[in-house]
């Protein structure tokens, strides 16, 4: 089967934050002592992009970028002028579409008044706020540096600056949280009228402070009840669920994350960033990730030392990798996309599809790979069934 190159995105990792949260397992580094070398980091990002474009050749160069996502860490620690300089550098290297979505993650506790119009002028057309909760006690337990009042003020400030596309991150099943508390968080989020809400369960990730010293969390049954109640609440407010933890107003789904879930391509630049590129000529799907520590990354701008790992995805791993992403989507994906994105015939996964449908995990529609409500609840089991 022919491998068809999917849309291309760009992920940019900004590794610094004011303080590491105890639940966070991302590649983030709290500020200590001297301020980070923000300007030098932007130079390193552009050198990294140049090197990736050279290394990947036709698999990356010349392809239009459909979305850019600044993740972290806390990207809003970088001044608008630096974001502007970086985006100018991207535009000079890669074509953009007329509707390229450019998202910047921001922490309400790091926002300086007046910066939002600068980000907007630089080309950032979507903001994602790490709110997590509107309960000050829960925010304290999570190690967040902002209050509920500061979160609301930050969102309103962005709206006043002209932002019409805003996501709010919310967590549920927080330490000692009740269902009433989870619903209250959703109510306050909806009141701010964002276009998108990411609503996900707090989990204890390895190598985090919470994993070493677990707080008292709601049990699975209570967490599931919170999820169902909040899903209904969001639906009633006009936010359609399109992914396990993503809800959006009409035509406001996150293009960048949709490309991930549809097994699209993305360049990953910055300390610890991951990328995936499809080569339609060779049929190879290649993953590359960058060295994690900012100092090591900065020490080799554009050099081979910036690469933490690189290699092709084995054919036997492709079905699992594809389903790991695609089945998170509530509407699923066309069955024909499996062959287009992996280069493998759908027959490759026919036994696993039959078994999943017999268990009631997948719908019976042969033209669509889509989980049932039961499959969504036991999604990890569904995805694991495609491991070879």
């Amino acid at each position: 089967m022919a491998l068809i190159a999917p849309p291309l995105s760009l992920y940019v990792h900004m590794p610094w934050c004011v303080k590491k949260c105890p639940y966070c397992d991302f590649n983030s580094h709290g500020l200590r002592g001297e301020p980070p070398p923000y300007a030098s980091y932007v130079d390193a990002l552009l050198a990294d992009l140049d090197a990736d474009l050279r290394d990947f050749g036709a698999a990356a160069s010349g392809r239009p970028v459909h979305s850019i996502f600044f993740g972290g860490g806390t990207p809003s620690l970088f001044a608008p002028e630096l974001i502007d300089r970086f985006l100018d550098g991207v535009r000079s290297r890669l074509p953009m579409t007329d509707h390229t979505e450019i998202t910047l993650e921001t922490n309400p506790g790091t926002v300086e008044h007046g910066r939002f119009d600068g980000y907007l002028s630089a080309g950032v057309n979507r903001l994602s706020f790490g709110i997590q909760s509107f309960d000050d006690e829960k925010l304290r337990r999570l190690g967040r540096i902002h209050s509920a009042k500061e979160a609301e003020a930050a969102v309103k400030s962005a709206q006043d600056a002209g932002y019409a596309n805003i996501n709010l991150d919310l967590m549920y099943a927080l330490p000692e949280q009740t269902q009433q508390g989870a619903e209250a968080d959703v109510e306050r989020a909806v009141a701010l009228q964002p276009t998108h809400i990411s609503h996900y369960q707090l989990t204890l990730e390895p190598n985090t402070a919470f994993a070493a010293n677990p707080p008292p969390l709601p049990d699975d049954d209570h967490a599931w009840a919170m999820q169902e109640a909040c899903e209904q609440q969001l639906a009633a407010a006009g936010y359609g669920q399109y992914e396990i933890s993503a809800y959006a107003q009409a035509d406001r789904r996150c293009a960048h994350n949709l490309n991930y879930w549809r097994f699209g391509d993305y360049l990953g630049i910055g300390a610890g960033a991951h990328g995936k590129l499809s080569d339609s000529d060779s049929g190879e799907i290649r993953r590359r990730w960058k060295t994690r520590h900012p100092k090591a990354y900065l020490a080799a701008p554009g050099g081979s030392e910036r690469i933490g790992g690189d290699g092709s995805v084995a054919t036997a791993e492709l079905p699992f990798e594809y389903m790991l992403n695609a089945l998170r989507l509530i509407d699923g994906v066309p069955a024909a996309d499996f062959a287009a994105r992996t280069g493998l015939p759908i027959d490759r996964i026919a036994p696993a599809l039959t078994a999943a449908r017999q268990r009631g995990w997948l719908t019976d529609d042969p033209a669509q790979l889509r989980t049932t409500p039961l499959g969504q609840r036991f999604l990890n089991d569904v995805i694991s069934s495609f491991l070879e």
Side-chain angles (χ1 to χ4, degrees):
M1 301 294 291
L3 178 66
I4 301 173
L8 178 68
S9 296
L10 174 63
Y11 175 73
V12 188
H13 193 74
M14 316 300 236
W16 293 288
C17 57
V18 174
K19 188 182 78 168
K20 182 87 169 180
C21 296
Y23 59 84
C24 178
D25 69 336
F26 296 149
N27 184 35
S28 58
H29 303 262
L31 299 182
R32 295 178 182 175
E34 293 293 318
Y38 296 122
S40 296
Y41 191 78
V42 170
D43 293 337
L45 288 173
L46 291 173
D48 190 1
L49 179 57
D50 282 334
D52 272 3
L53 292 176
R54 180 189 67 241
D55 293 349
F56 288 118
S61 297
R63 293 175 62 184
V65 176
H66 291 262
S67 66
I68 300 174
F69 196 100
F70 293 94
T74 304
S76 57
L77 289 174
F78 285 71
E81 296 76 18
L82 292 176
I83 299 297
D84 186 38
R85 178 154 69 85
F86 174 78
L87 288 174
D88 279 346
V90 175
R91 293 185 190 102
S92 70
R93 290 162 171 83
L94 287 167
M96 302 268 198
T97 72
D98 292 337
H99 307 287
T100 297
E101 177 193 88
I102 304 177
T103 302
L104 182 101
E105 288 187 333
T106 180
N107 183 332
T110 64
V111 171
E112 294 181 17
H113 185 68
R115 275 197 168 192
F116 290 125
D117 54 357
Y119 293 129
L120 192 62
S121 297
V124 175
N125 51 33
R126 185 175 183 269
L127 292 176
S128 181
F129 283 92
I131 305 292
Q132 314 313 356
S133 177
F134 288 96
D135 183 320
D136 285 340
E137 172 58 20
K138 294 294 183 283
L139 290 170
R140 185 191 67 78
R141 296 285 293 273
L142 292 172
R144 305 298 289 172
I145 63 172
H146 66 271
S147 66
K149 185 177 180 181
E150 288 171 331
E152 291 174 334
V155 174
K156 291 174 181 176
S157 179
Q159 292 167 332
D160 290 343
Y163 272 97
N165 198 4
I166 293 175
N167 169 65
L168 304 185
D169 279 350
L170 281 184
M171 286 182 172
Y172 68 94
L174 304 179
E176 299 181 302
Q177 187 178 45
T178 63
Q179 182 174 319
Q180 183 180 13
E183 292 175 358
D185 276 346
V186 170
E187 182 179 356
R188 290 183 70 172
V190 166
L192 291 169
Q193 298 184 312
T195 50
H196 191 285
I197 294 176
S198 299
H199 186 255
Y200 53 100
Q201 182 177 349
L202 171 63
T203 54
L204 301 183
E205 302 293 347
N207 303 315
T208 62
F210 269 5
N213 187 21
L217 300 181
D219 61 30
D220 289 344
D221 288 340
H222 284 92
W224 179 251
M226 288 181 196
Q227 179 180 333
E228 287 192 311
C230 292
E231 282 178 6
Q232 294 171 9
Q233 195 176 0
L234 286 163
Y239 293 87
Q241 184 183 18
Y242 67 100
E243 188 267 343
I244 291 297
S245 58
Y247 305 77
Q249 293 178 346
D251 300 320
R252 290 298 193 176
R253 296 179 176 186
C254 178
H256 188 84
N257 285 341
L258 276 172
N259 196 37
Y260 284 157
W261 296 322
R262 291 170 177 163
F263 212 53
D265 281 353
Y266 49 97
L267 289 164
I269 63 171
H274 285 240
K276 166 193 169 283
L277 268 294
S278 304
D279 189 326
S280 54
D281 291 332
S282 67
E284 178 189 39
I285 295 177
R286 186 169 162 190
R287 291 197 181 277
R288 169 177 286 184
W289 55 98
K290 307 300 168 56
T291 187
R292 288 175 59 85
H293 202 281
K295 284 186 178 179
Y297 179 81
L298 283 163
S304 60
E305 297 87 351
R306 80 191 193 287
I307 300 174
D310 194 354
S312 298
V313 180
T315 300
E317 296 173 0
L318 282 171
F320 173 76
E321 290 238 2
Y322 182 82
M323 292 300 189
L324 178 66
N325 293 280
L327 293 185
R328 292 183 63 89
L329 292 168
I330 301 302
D331 293 335
V333 293
D337 280 6
F338 176 82
R341 294 288 190 266
T342 66
L344 301 175
I346 192 72
D347 291 348
R348 179 84 180 220
I349 57 171
L353 289 175
T354 298
R357 287 173 175 142
Q358 288 174 344
R359 293 186 177 101
W361 290 345
L362 297 181
T363 65
D364 290 329
D365 184 357
Q368 192 79 359
L369 303 177
R370 180 181 183 182
T371 53
T372 62
L374 179 66
Q376 290 168 23
R377 182 165 187 181
F378 297 99
L379 187 60
N380 288 339
D381 295 321
V382 182
I383 293 167
S384 297
S385 69
F386 291 92
L387 279 168
E388 290 193 12

